[in-house]
Amino acid sequence: MENFVKITISTQINTSIEKVWECFNSPEHVVNWNAASDDWHCPKSTNDLRIGGSFNHTMAAKDGSFSFDFEGVYNDIKTNESIAYSLADGRQILVTFEKSGDGVIVTEVFDAETENPIEMQQAGWQAILDRFKAYVEGAN
């Protein structure tokens, strides 16, 4: 098994943990926030949120020049607390949801891939998490 560098990102979202959980896991919400920049989008999302279940989010450039599927299999799920999943290349991701005052701190710890610089991966994942925060705080 390969040893991956771990990267941690987080944000505080000022709403209920139930709303954060719903927007993070429901495909009808995921397609609205799952992109690192305005020139990308997530045209398709499926999610079978159970241990052994899988998800698949299509990430695509809006100009049609490039797309890829971000997919994995769930290893552990604690509703409104944490999600652990594996990617096809063996990388592991842990997402935690922690109540903090009137909001929720969402933290993602993930194994870095070896193709791109660590800083680029951290910035890209943080940009997606920041879009998630903006979406959830703006969603009704």
Side-chain angles (χ1 to χ4, degrees), residues 1-137:
M1 193 81 180
E2 212 173 326
N3 283 334
F4 294 101
V5 172
K6 299 265 187 216
I7 299 175
T8 301
I9 59 168
S10 67
T11 192
Q12 178 154 343
I13 302 173
N14 299 308
T15 192
S16 71
I17 200 158
E18 294 80 10
K19 183 175 180 182
V20 170
W21 183 265
E22 172 72 17
C23 290
F24 194 87
N25 292 299
S26 296
E28 63 267 23
H29 290 293
V30 172
V31 296
N32 291 302
W33 59 261
N34 194 21
S37 62
D38 288 340
D39 54 343
W40 280 74
H41 66 144
C42 180
K44 185 179 125 205
S45 173
T46 60
N47 192 15
D48 181 10
L49 187 62
R50 62 181 175 82
I51 296 172
S54 63
F55 66 88
N56 185 331
H57 310 307
T58 300
M59 315 281 282
K62 287 183 179 176
D63 67 5
S65 63
F66 188 76
S67 72
F68 66 94
D69 288 334
F70 182 77
E71 54 191 333
V73 175
Y74 293 110
N75 303 321
D76 191 44
I77 300 165
K78 294 181 178 83
T79 303
N80 294 335
E81 291 180 25
S82 65
I83 299 169
Y85 62 91
S86 301
L87 301 177
D89 62 8
R91 292 186 295 142
Q92 302 293 307
I93 291 85
L94 175 64
V95 185
T96 58
F97 304 83
E98 179 186 352
K99 288 183 184 178
S100 176
D102 292 337
V104 179
I105 297 173
V106 178
T107 302
E108 295 185 60
V109 179
F110 62 96
D111 293 335
E113 41 93 349
T114 56
E115 301 290 313
N116 295 293
I118 300 293
E119 298 77 16
M120 178 188 288
Q121 294 177 65
Q122 184 167 14
W125 283 59
Q126 185 68 54
I128 293 169
L129 192 58
D130 291 346
R131 287 175 72 97
F132 175 66
K133 171 187 171 69
Y135 173 76
V136 173
E137 290 182 349

